[in-house]
Amino acid sequence: MKETREAIVEVSNLSKKYGLTVALDGVDIKFPQGELTALIGPNGSGKTTLLKILAGLTYPDQGRVKTIDRAPDRINKERFAFLPENDYLYSWMKLEYLIEFFARQYTSFDRSKAYQMTKDMNLKPEQKISDLSKGMRARFKLVLSLSRDVLLYILDEPLAGIDPQSRSYILENLNLEFARGESSVILSTHEVLESEKFFDYVIMLGDDRVQLEGYADDLRREHDLSLQELTREVFA
Amino acid sequence: MGIHYDTSRPIYEQIIEYVVKKLASGKLEAGDKLPSQRNLAQELNVNPNTVQRAYREMELQGLVETKRGLGTFVTESEARIREISQELSQNIITEFVEQMRFLGYEDCEISSRLEKTLNQDQ
Amino acid sequence: MALISLWKKELREISFSGLALLLLSAAFYVFLYYQARPGTIQIILGVIYLPFIIYPLFLLFQGYRTFSREWREKTIFLLKSLPRSGYEIVLAKFLAAAVVLIILMAASSTGIYLIISHNFTAVSQVLPPEFAALNWGAVLGWGLAVYFWLCGFAYFTAQLSSLTSRFFNRFRWLVTLLVFYLVNYLTFRLAGYLGWLFDWLPDVQHFVIRQTEEAAGLIEVSGGGLAAAALILLIMFVVSSLLLERTLEV
């Protein structure tokens, strides 16, 4: 077994209801520091709710949240990057406008890195958000998130609904960026296939709570299964 | 040069096998410097922490040595390398024999078929 | 810098409807300009202020729309991820709307000025003689103050109503209307108390008609009422900001 590192994010006894629907029910999780943690679960398992709470966009009914070392408040939002699942970019903006906008809003934003990554991802700064395809938009969302020099990246379904080409492109870029620094990544996904070799730590969320967690290679050895197969078994 | 991953087995073990194979085939030699963890992670397209774990395991097995500030090097001990490459070849043979037995072959049949294949290749 | 870039973004978002209204107003004044004759001047003077009735409605609409659009288009995810306080976000939005209002008013005032000055003889014939003696500084100053307050009030009540309706998943329209009604009722009750509370403030007096000392020509503004009016806008601004930053979820 690999020794457990310090936690970058810690939630305890977290509960959240939407009307009568329970999204999270007394969840305790420690996300290890310096690792790429995959939050795996089927749609509706509470992944998005959990990540929104970690990023300070939604508030729990009960429980405590510590993102890096404090509640995810306004000051803390400068210290982590959050990539939401949906199209959250103003559709009338050009890519260069968004890069400038982010550079003005976040002191941790690296403008030249953003332009470089935009180029690397085969996007043009003078394109408009509304003119991008779904895969291009997903790539640009990643550009904006990874261009911030922060300790923690929270990425909600960065691969969902994207063509396989863009997907492997995004994964390789994410890995490249991750290999560069001391930061931690939390990434949620409902499919594991191509991405599993990039994961360090895996948390499987289902039925409003944690079903299984551990280091990816430890889980593979214990169960003699790939994460893909293990996911299928856990959520069967 | 990459690895075709079997995702049902720990990936760090497959990285170790990749290095051992390079040693056995002579592409890497005693005392050679291994690529940095980050470079290897990029080359093999895996998480850098997994490479880190592979390096640590190889260090525990005495296959590599980390020299502070210089990087990771293959051990100078030829004996240890031979030992480990023999271990690898033994593993392959054991697995082959197990699978043949599983298919219902008798031991004498296995060796005769093996001989036949070897002769054909020549 | 962060606030300025936020303000620019809001300005860009409001610019389309603002521009449409500006063109409409311009067309209206061009029409009046060419219709103005000694025979029609009375009708024209009667309708010349019409756009000024539309502008508060425009602000009401903007106040309602500005956040409901962010939610509908999911851009609220971006807004809530920024390391900005609720005050900054609400202020940036309000300042953008205020700038558009000022541009609209400046354009309309120019239109009115041109129409009146080109038909000055006809206008002076139909206006009562006291008009020339009016203390225009005081009349316009107070008129504008009241007008701006009204626009701000329309904007913030609509915004507060639309934000409050976010607590509900259904019947948002109904909730918005109910809250709008309630906020109006409550603020006027509150204004009464606040006015009484600040009654000790000195009143402001201006003579409406120059050169006369008659009491009838006096504008008298209660200091307490002024303080109450200002405080009410401030309270709505603070409540909207806190709701946005601390309570509302995406």
Side-chain angles (χ1 to χ4, degrees):
Chain A
M1 276 294 220
K2 203 171 161 181
E3 78 276 17
T4 313
R5 296 209 213 169
E6 233 176 290
I8 184 88
V9 172
E10 207 175 332
V11 301
S12 48
N13 193 26
L14 206 64
S15 295
K16 177 74 185 171
K17 266 200 247 175
Y18 289 104
L20 293 173
T21 320
V22 178
L24 295 168
D25 188 10
V27 172
D28 298 285
I29 304 180
K30 282 181 183 171
F31 291 90
Q33 188 176 2
E35 316 266 14
L36 196 155
T37 302
L39 187 64
I40 302 172
N43 290 326
S45 55
K47 289 176 304 199
T48 294
T49 305
L50 177 61
L51 295 191
K52 280 196 293 189
I53 290 174
L54 299 187
L57 270 67
T58 294
Y59 311 98
D61 298 336
Q62 203 187 74
R64 278 161 45 87
V65 187
K66 226 168 77 179
T67 305
I68 305 178
D69 52 12
R70 55 185 284 162
D73 56 10
R74 171 171 61 89
I75 294 153
N76 209 353
K77 282 173 185 166
E78 182 69 84
R79 300 161 68 222
F80 61 80
F82 175 59
L83 182 154
E85 178 184 15
N86 35 34
D87 284 335
Y88 72 125
L89 303 174
Y90 294 94
S91 55
W92 54 268
M93 286 187 182
K94 286 182 175 177
L95 305 195
E96 55 199 354
Y97 189 109
L98 265 162
I99 290 174
E100 294 305 321
F101 183 72
F102 267 59
R104 291 272 154 81
Q105 296 299 328
Y106 297 102
T107 51
S108 51
F109 192 85
D110 183 342
R111 192 190 262 113
S112 54
K113 187 172 166 188
Y115 280 115
Q116 186 58 46
M117 274 184 81
T118 306
K119 211 174 125 203
D120 292 346
M121 293 254 195
N122 281 325
L123 299 165
K124 292 188 192 75
E126 60 276 10
Q127 281 172 305
K128 243 172 151 186
I129 292 292
S130 54
D131 294 338
L132 299 186
S133 70
K134 205 167 178 205
M136 290 160 107
R137 239 176 267 189
R139 278 187 255 159
F140 190 62
K141 276 161 71 177
L142 203 73
V143 168
L144 288 178
S145 302
L146 296 185
S147 297
R148 289 185 52 203
D149 190 14
V150 286
L151 292 169
L152 171 67
Y153 301 89
I154 303 173
L155 315 174
D156 193 7
E157 294 275 11
L159 306 170
I162 297 166
D163 53 294
Q165 234 173 352
S166 296
R167 207 178 305 174
S168 57
Y169 207 51
I170 286 175
L171 278 168
E172 276 161 35
N173 268 283
L174 181 63
N175 199 43
L176 214 81
E177 289 302 316
F178 184 57
R180 228 164 251 171
E182 289 298 300
S183 49
S184 316
V185 178
I186 299 174
L187 177 153
S188 83
T189 179
H190 65 275
E191 48 187 359
V192 194
L193 195 56
E194 310 99 318
S195 39
E196 73 166 71
K197 63 178 192 270
F198 297 105
F199 302 159
D200 285 312
Y201 197 80
V202 175
I203 295 170
M204 296 195 187
L205 199 68
D207 289 336
D208 339 316
R209 46 178 60 249
V210 176
Q211 302 289 338
L212 186 68
E213 66 175 302
Y215 282 95
D217 274 350
D218 292 337
L219 292 177
R220 288 191 187 102
R221 185 163 42 204
E222 276 166 42
H223 299 267
D224 231 348
L225 292 173
S226 70
L227 293 181
Q228 166 85 355
E229 293 157 330
L230 195 58
T231 313
R232 242 179 258 153
E233 208 161 89
V234 168
F235 298 117
Chain B
M1 178 78 120
I3 303 182
H4 189 75
Y5 294 101
D6 170 6
T7 46
S8 61
R9 289 173 49 228
I11 287 176
Y12 77 93
E13 283 180 6
Q14 297 176 56
I15 295 171
I16 296 175
E17 279 165 23
Y18 166 82
V19 174
V20 171
K21 272 182 196 163
K22 272 191 156 182
L23 276 172
S25 62
K27 278 178 191 143
L28 263 179
E29 283 174 14
D32 277 359
K33 187 172 188 278
L34 289 178
S36 78
Q37 296 179 8
R38 277 171 194 175
N39 287 345
L40 192 63
Q42 273 179 33
E43 190 187 325
L44 300 180
N45 228 337
V46 289
N47 189 302
N49 288 329
T50 311
V51 176
Q52 187 187 17
R53 188 169 182 184
Y55 276 30
R56 206 168 38 202
E57 291 287 330
M58 288 195 285
E59 210 174 339
L60 287 176
Q61 291 174 12
L63 191 60
V64 300
E65 284 159 19
T66 302
K67 291 177 188 161
R68 214 166 264 280
L70 290 174
T72 309
F73 295 84
V74 178
T75 177
E76 299 281 357
S77 151
E78 300 271 1
R80 184 75 192 115
I81 294 174
R82 222 172 300 128
E83 208 178 310
I84 282 172
S85 85
Q86 257 169 20
E87 215 172 275
L88 178 70
S89 60
Q90 190 55 52
N91 284 346
I92 294 171
I93 292 170
T94 313
E95 196 178 327
F96 164 73
V97 171
E98 262 174 26
Q99 289 199 1
M100 290 301 277
R101 281 179 181 155
F102 181 79
L103 289 174
Y105 286 94
E106 295 293 329
D107 283 5
C108 55
E109 244 178 310
I110 295 174
S111 68
S112 72
R113 289 207 57 179
L114 187 60
E115 242 168 89
K116 207 173 142 195
T117 312
L118 287 172
N119 288 335
Q120 262 174 8
D121 274 4
Q122 285 170 355
Chain C
M1 283 317 273
L3 189 64
I4 292 174
S5 90
L6 210 57
W7 173 73
K8 278 188 187 157
K9 174 231 139 201
E10 298 300 342
L11 209 54
R12 170 65 177 68
E13 296 225 289
I14 203 175
S15 65
F16 184 75
S17 46
L19 201 65
L21 196 53
L22 184 67
L23 290 177
L24 274 176
S25 308
F28 179 71
Y29 285 117
V30 168
F31 175 74
L32 289 191
Y33 186 85
Y34 287 108
Q35 294 300 315
R37 281 181 294 276
T40 57
I41 198 71
Q42 270 165 308
I43 303 171
I44 285 173
L45 285 180
V47 296
I48 208 162
Y49 301 102
L50 198 67
F52 284 85
I53 299 170
I54 309 288
Y55 300 154
L57 294 177
F58 171 70
L59 280 210
L60 188 85
F61 173 66
Q62 287 304 331
Y64 169 75
R65 193 178 75 140
T66 184
F67 278 111
S68 64
R69 177 164 145 184
E70 302 272 6
W71 254 278
R72 193 180 62 239
E73 291 178 3
K74 311 283 184 202
T75 47
I76 189 67
F77 279 81
L78 184 110
L79 218 50
K80 282 269 289 189
S81 301
L82 297 176
R84 299 275 81 82
S85 66
Y87 300 112
E88 287 174 286
I89 293 171
V90 172
L91 188 67
K93 283 183 178 296
F94 175 67
L95 287 182
V99 164
V100 171
L101 177 68
I102 288 169
I103 292 172
L104 285 171
M105 286 178 64
S108 299
S109 307
T110 313
I112 291 173
Y113 173 77
L114 287 177
I115 289 169
I116 290 182
S117 60
H118 272 252
N119 302 279
F120 194 71
T121 35
V123 172
S124 54
Q125 274 164 11
V126 294
L127 286 184
E130 296 87 43
F131 259 59
L134 271 186
N135 182 0
W136 281 101
V139 171
L140 278 182
W142 282 110
L144 277 179
V146 170
Y147 187 74
F148 274 125
W149 184 86
L150 189 76
C151 287
F153 184 72
Y155 182 85
F156 280 114
T157 30
Q159 183 173 75
L160 196 58
S161 313
S162 93
L163 281 177
T164 313
S165 76
R166 285 287 135 199
F167 285 110
F168 301 88
N169 288 327
R170 269 178 281 171
F171 310 118
R172 286 220 178 99
W173 256 101
L174 192 66
V175 173
T176 306
L177 284 175
L178 277 176
V179 174
F180 187 75
Y181 175 78
L182 207 68
V183 166
N184 274 287
Y185 171 76
L186 285 177
T187 39
F188 282 106
R189 286 304 288 267
L190 186 67
Y193 290 119
L194 286 175
W196 173 77
L197 202 65
F198 289 99
D199 207 24
W200 48 270
L201 284 170
D203 292 352
V204 188
Q205 294 184 339
H206 282 291
F207 289 102
V208 177
I209 298 174
R210 260 176 292 164
Q211 293 128 4
T212 38
E213 302 282 314
E214 288 167 57
L218 200 67
I219 298 181
E220 208 168 358
V221 183
S222 123
L226 268 183
L231 265 177
I232 276 170
L233 285 193
L234 193 67
I235 289 170
M236 286 201 285
F237 171 70
V238 170
V239 171
S240 286
S241 306
L242 288 179
L243 276 181
L244 180 69
E245 191 184 331
R246 303 266 170 87
T247 324
L248 284 172
E249 309 186 322
V250 300

